[in-house]
Amino acid sequence: MDVSVVLPTYNERNNIIDLIDAIEAEASPLVTHLQIVVVDDNSPDGTADAVRQRAQKPGGCVDLYVRTEGRGLASAIKYGLLRSQGDVVVVMDTDFNHDPKMIPQMIELLKYYDIVIGSRFVMGGGMEEELRYKFSFLYNLFIRVTIRTQVQDNLSGFFAMRRDKLMALNLDYIFRGYGEYFIRLLYVAWRHHYKMLEVPVFYVLRRHGQSKSRFLNMLRDYTLCVLGLWLGRWK
Ligand SMILES: Nc1nc2c(ncn2[C@@H]2O[C@H](COP(=O)(O)OP(=O)(O)OP(=O)(O)O)[C@@H](O)[C@H]2O)c(=O)[nH]1
Ligand SMILES: [Mg+2]
């Protein structure tokens, strides 16, 4: 199995090298070829310099892309996906919210599923930040009753997917904005009758650095996204 892990970074200098090491340690024993694609939006903290140095390690599998024009989580992920080569792709946050130890089972389960999602809201899942966990739970409830899918965690952003299934979708439509791309991805996959599985993940707090999430902007943009999908159902 050839696996590509796409890592979007913005000011993650103090997290990214440890994460690359952890991904290598977890995934290498299982895969024929591992590719780690870092897409950095020219972070002022020098994330790219740290990754460039790490990429020179003999036998390394890290490809670094630095985008100097524009910034954005979803477009960075799309950029990385389009430059990845694995027949399996994994996307995750780069601050250790998402546990790299989950990667082996997620890619293993792609033998049976088209997309495997790390989920905080299936049995065994959770989150260190209690208030955010509760709010995310309620917001996911709103998503579920509005667009009527069975997905429990539409906001996780941690997933593994078969490349052929991903590339069959309209990536330009899906990968726009911030984390709401994930709501669109799962909705479109659901409508395509893809085989989907949620596995429990527990989010710990980011190890270093600061959050890029802006709560009110997210609430506005995610809600517009959900309502747009809901309206689209009647077309
Ligand atoms: N390339 C790129 N990556 C981004 C951008 N914004 C956020 N990211 C990455 O997206 C992931 C999620 O961002 P976070 O700041 O951790 O958001 P969060 O998980 O809601 O916030 P925390 O509670 O601090 O973890 C991280 O890996 C960021 O480095 C961006 O504009 N460009
Ligand atoms: Mg985070």
Side-chain angles (χ1 to χ4, degrees):
M1 193 172 9
D2 284 358
V3 176
S4 297
V5 183
V6 173
L7 303 176
T9 54
Y10 195 75
N11 286 345
E12 303 289 4
R13 187 187 177 99
N14 295 323
N15 296 312
I16 189 67
I17 305 304
D18 288 347
L19 183 66
I20 291 171
D21 290 344
I23 293 170
E24 259 191 24
E26 294 298 332
S28 295
L30 275 176
V31 308
T32 331
H33 183 254
L34 174 69
Q35 178 194 27
I36 297 180
V37 181
V38 179
V39 184
D40 183 60
D41 282 346
N42 213 11
S43 303
D45 76 343
T47 300
D49 291 338
V51 175
R52 202 171 286 115
Q53 224 177 346
R54 175 61 173 75
Q56 282 161 7
K57 193 173 158 182
C61 55
V62 181
D63 291 329
L64 168 69
Y65 295 94
V66 183
R67 303 195 309 168
T68 50
E69 275 164 39
R71 205 196 122 183
L73 176 59
S75 70
I77 293 171
K78 183 178 79 175
Y79 192 95
L81 289 170
L82 291 174
R83 280 151 189 83
S84 69
Q85 283 133 27
D87 24 65
V88 161
V89 293
V90 177
V91 175
M92 63 193 293
D93 285 2
T94 50
D95 56 357
F96 283 93
N97 283 160
H98 298 156
D99 185 354
K101 283 198 164 49
M102 291 304 295
I103 294 176
Q105 58 170 288
M106 288 169 79
I107 57 182
E108 197 68 18
L109 285 161
L110 286 179
K111 283 185 190 148
Y112 313 101
Y113 295 90
D114 299 322
I115 176 165
V116 176
I117 307 152
S119 173
R120 292 163 292 173
F121 304 113
V122 292
M123 201 189 298
M127 191 173 188
E128 205 171 330
E129 285 173 283
E130 263 182 53
L131 191 63
R132 198 161 162 189
Y133 180 74
K134 284 181 187 146
F135 185 80
S136 280
F137 176 79
L138 289 175
Y139 199 82
N140 268 294
L141 216 54
F142 158 68
I143 296 176
R144 282 178 58 197
V145 298
T146 310
I147 60 175
R148 290 175 188 269
T149 69
Q150 287 181 307
V151 179
Q152 313 275 334
D153 197 347
N154 294 271
L155 306 174
S156 108
F158 187 12
F159 68 99
M161 193 165 181
R162 291 177 40 168
R163 166 177 221 86
D164 54 343
K165 293 290 177 178
L166 177 69
M167 292 304 162
L169 305 178
N170 182 346
L171 302 190
D172 292 335
Y173 166 70
I174 294 168
F175 288 91
R176 290 176 290 126
Y178 193 64
E180 71 271 32
Y181 86 84
F182 199 61
I183 306 173
R184 274 192 294 270
L185 172 65
L186 299 182
Y187 181 73
V188 172
W190 175 268
R191 294 293 293 237
H192 276 72
H193 304 290
Y194 281 7
K195 284 182 274 171
M196 303 166 79
L197 178 74
E198 290 183 82
V199 294
V201 290
F202 189 88
Y203 283 18
V204 292
L205 297 176
R206 65 159 47 247
R207 277 202 188 164
H208 301 283
Q210 282 175 358
S211 180
K212 265 65 71 177
S213 290
R214 297 283 165 268
F215 179 74
L216 289 178
N217 291 356
M218 283 162 70
L219 190 61
R220 180 197 62 205
D221 295 345
Y222 290 20
T223 305
L224 286 174
C225 168
V226 174
L227 295 178
L229 294 174
W230 177 73
L231 283 172
R233 284 168 61 88
W234 310 111
K235 271 189 204 154

